Amino acid sequence: MHKRTCLAILILGLGCNFSQAAEAERNSTIKDQKQVAVTIYNQDLALIKDSRAVALESGENVLAWRDVSARIRPETALLRSTTTQIQLIEQNFDFDLLTPNKLLEKHVGRKLRVIKTNPASGIETSEEATVLSANEGVVLQFADRIESHPAGRLAFQTLPENLRDRPTLVIDLNAADAGNQNLELSYLTSGLSWKADYVAELSAKDDRLDLNGWVTLTNQAGTTFRNAKLQLVAGDVNRAQEEVPEFAYKNRGAMPTVNAAPQMKEESLFEYHLYSLDRPTTLANNQTKQVALLSATQVPVKKEFQLRGADYYYRNSQAEIGRKLKVGVFVEFENKGHNLGIPLPKGTIRVYKRDASGNAQFVGEDRIDHTPKNETVRLKLGDAFDITADKKQTDFQKVGGTGRYNYIYDAAFQIDLKNAKNEAIIVKIQEPIPGDWEVLEENHAHSKAAANLAVWNIPVPAE
């Protein structure tokens, strides 16, 4: 059996080619950066403002602005200078990044050298070959044969044009003055996202909670934003829907209790809300991180047990509607006071409660939408274990009506509530009743909460 060595790739002459490119281009790297500001929206959208000090010549310059987001929307890029007048001529976003596979793909039809080492003597030999294919492996044509997956390592003499080692925006511009200039590049990008996560702990009597809010940031933009000024926009920003050519996607690549922390500064922005972190932070590529949003303690809470019906069984004769129906458990609190009162971004609130041993146990979670200050936050945490309901229709008859939509019915229902807890509770029963309705007889008084909703608050003794 012949042993086959793994294929390694040797890139030769890259320094020469990068220096040749440097003669035609002026490279601006992360070392030139003076400040970067990142504003992240809710819908996989971010605004980047990258300020750098760049040396320009008077007249035409080809500026290679390196370390932009790999998922930049180049049509949104805007370059401006605070120290000289510039005129933009052309810009190109080079997203074809230097990798061994890309290097092979760019060399299809071109020559390279295959270097092999004799394992016994250590002597190296090289042989010229032409790349026929780089699809699912490499196929080479030598002077006397064709080989796939050849042993040895490949040596390239040139770097193909437009193949970059990192995402680069190449800008052709005219500058009025020579020397170091302060430039700011602004652009929109995808790959940066944020969401709000909240952790709450209920008190022993379920009448108060401590709430901590976190902002979870995810960076999949293909670059790192170091010491960034971070701002977050909460709200649903309208975006024009565009048809994106298929090739654009192919070339982009794969895309319980805590100490109180300083709250993020909040302000109104148009019809949205803007949250600003009071210190710089680094958003590393392919990283998820959390920063504190708010911290509130001893927030008053209202707990509610709720049984909600359906409108369909008011139009028809029904047998037994259900046994051991689940009763939902809800908690709600006001977004005001107790260090609350800022608009809450949409997110998930996870609720904990301590057991008899003092260990925090998870008791439920729910999502909230963007919630203005002074509004009520209402959470469904689950269904009660010890509270059940049996429901049946005890009478039904049609008493009038001639058409499909003007029948008149009489219907009677019975609901039995059971409470196995060692404390008395109140169950709110909500019945959505269709059409024009009237309650003819009841053993507990109802209230008409809405045009099609009757509500009963039923006290149920312990056990």
Side-chain angles (χ1 to χ4, degrees):
M1 181 180 293
H2 296 287
K3 291 185 178 179
R4 190 170 217 107
T5 59
C6 292
L7 178 66
I9 294 178
L10 177 65
I11 302 174
L12 301 178
L14 294 190
C16 174
N17 282 280
F18 277 128
S19 63
Q20 290 172 0
E23 294 176 2
E25 296 178 349
R26 293 186 170 273
N27 283 329
S28 175
T29 67
I30 203 73
K31 294 180 180 179
D32 303 328
Q33 193 173 80
K34 299 172 62 179
Q35 186 182 49
V36 61
V38 179
T39 303
I40 308 178
Y41 298 79
N42 283 125
Q43 303 132 316
D44 189 26
L45 180 71
L47 172 65
I48 310 299
K49 293 183 180 179
D50 188 352
S51 300
R52 301 184 185 183
V54 181
L56 298 178
E57 291 290 339
S58 177
E60 186 171 357
N61 294 261
V62 178
L63 176 61
W65 195 289
R66 291 156 62 83
D67 300 293
V68 297
S69 166
R71 302 178 68 179
I72 183 178
R73 292 173 55 185
E75 71 277 8
T76 67
L78 173 64
L79 182 69
R80 69 183 187 93
S81 172
T82 60
T83 53
T84 188
Q85 291 184 344
I86 59 173
Q87 179 187 21
L88 301 181
I89 302 173
E90 182 180 294
Q91 66 183 26
N92 301 283
F93 175 48
D94 292 338
F95 50 77
D96 224 0
L97 299 185
L98 178 62
T99 64
N101 287 337
K102 285 290 183 182
L103 193 57
L104 274 173
E105 290 175 9
K106 296 292 186 180
H107 270 80
V108 172
R110 302 171 65 176
K111 295 184 181 298
L112 48 69
R113 301 197 69 81
V114 180
I115 302 175
K116 298 180 181 180
T117 303
N118 189 309
S121 63
I123 298 175
E124 288 189 345
T125 58
S126 67
E127 192 175 5
E128 191 175 71
T130 301
V131 182
L132 298 181
S133 174
N135 185 24
E136 298 182 4
V138 60
V139 179
L140 300 181
Q141 182 175 22
F142 294 87
D144 58 347
R145 68 195 185 280
I146 294 176
E147 285 191 27
S148 64
H149 305 284
R153 62 189 194 273
L154 306 182
F156 302 86
Q157 297 299 322
T158 59
L159 183 70
E161 189 177 355
N162 295 333
L163 195 58
R164 305 272 180 176
D165 62 337
R166 63 191 68 184
T168 302
L169 186 68
V170 181
I171 307 168
D172 193 352
L173 60 88
N174 278 323
D177 303 302
N180 284 334
Q181 308 297 340
N182 293 330
L183 303 181
E184 181 186 81
L185 178 67
S186 302
Y187 60 88
L188 295 174
T189 180
S190 57
L192 284 160
S193 61
W194 75 279
K195 64 176 182 175
D197 289 285
Y198 304 89
V199 177
E201 183 176 313
L202 280 171
S203 65
K205 295 182 178 180
D206 298 337
D207 59 348
R208 293 186 179 272
L209 62 75
D210 296 337
L211 181 68
N212 290 280
W214 296 89
V215 170
T216 301
L217 305 161
T218 302
N219 179 12
Q220 295 177 311
T223 192
T224 295
F225 302 94
R226 293 178 176 83
N227 298 318
K229 178 183 178 182
L230 178 65
Q231 294 181 297
L232 310 172
V233 175
D236 300 316
V237 179
N238 187 55
R239 299 172 62 186
Q241 300 298 316
E242 298 182 7
E243 292 185 4
V244 182
E246 184 179 358
F247 72 85
Y249 288 109
K250 290 182 178 179
N251 288 330
R252 276 187 188 173
M255 300 287 163
T257 301
V258 297
N259 293 327
Q263 298 192 157
M264 296 184 75
K265 181 181 178 182
E266 180 273 334
E267 62 182 279
S268 295
L269 174 68
F270 189 58
E271 297 305 319
Y272 317 117
H273 286 275
L274 181 70
Y275 301 84
S276 302
L277 189 63
D278 61 356
R279 56 180 175 80
T281 188
T282 295
L283 304 177
N285 187 39
N286 293 327
Q287 181 190 66
T288 295
K289 73 184 309 178
Q290 288 186 306
V291 294
L293 174 65
L294 62 88
S295 180
T297 58
Q298 295 298 300
V299 180
V301 170
K302 179 182 176 183
K303 183 179 177 181
E304 182 181 277
F305 299 102
Q306 185 188 107
L307 177 68
R308 187 175 179 88
D311 62 2
Y312 68 89
Y313 47 69
Y314 285 90
R315 295 189 176 100
N316 300 287
S317 178
Q318 302 286 334
E320 193 173 69
I321 296 174
R323 284 187 174 272
K324 292 185 173 59
L325 298 176
K326 297 292 187 180
V327 176
V329 183
F330 295 80
V331 296
E332 62 180 43
F333 60 90
E334 302 294 326
N335 183 19
K336 62 181 180 181
H338 302 270
N339 217 26
L340 287 176
I342 67 169
L344 301 178
K346 65 181 178 182
T348 301
I349 298 185
R350 296 171 177 87
V351 182
Y352 296 81
K353 184 176 179 177
R354 295 189 181 274
D355 59 21
S357 301
N359 300 315
Q361 304 292 347
F362 177 66
V363 295
E365 67 180 14
D366 202 359
R367 288 190 58 81
I368 63 170
D369 203 349
H370 298 303
T371 305
K373 63 181 180 180
N374 301 327
E375 288 287 334
T376 299
V377 178
R378 184 175 174 84
L379 310 173
K380 181 177 182 181
L381 299 185
D383 294 320
F385 185 97
D386 293 320
I387 307 169
T388 59
D390 297 336
K391 191 172 190 177
K392 63 183 178 181
Q393 190 181 69
T394 58
D395 193 16
F396 182 86
Q397 58 182 321
K398 176 183 174 183
V399 298
T402 57
R404 181 179 179 183
Y405 298 107
N406 66 346
Y407 287 147
I408 302 174
Y409 304 107
D410 273 357
F413 300 87
Q414 177 177 311
I415 301 174
D416 296 322
L417 297 172
K418 299 175 183 178
N419 174 23
K421 297 167 69 69
N422 58 7
E423 60 182 357
I425 60 167
I426 294 177
V427 177
K428 176 182 283 189
I429 298 177
Q430 293 185 334
E431 286 293 317
I433 308 175
D436 300 324
W437 55 273
E438 179 184 359
V439 176
L440 302 178
E441 183 181 350
E442 58 187 345
N443 64 335
H444 290 272
H446 79 283
S447 62
K448 189 173 183 177
N452 67 337
L453 186 65
V455 175
W456 288 263
N457 289 302
I458 309 297
V460 187
E463 299 183 348

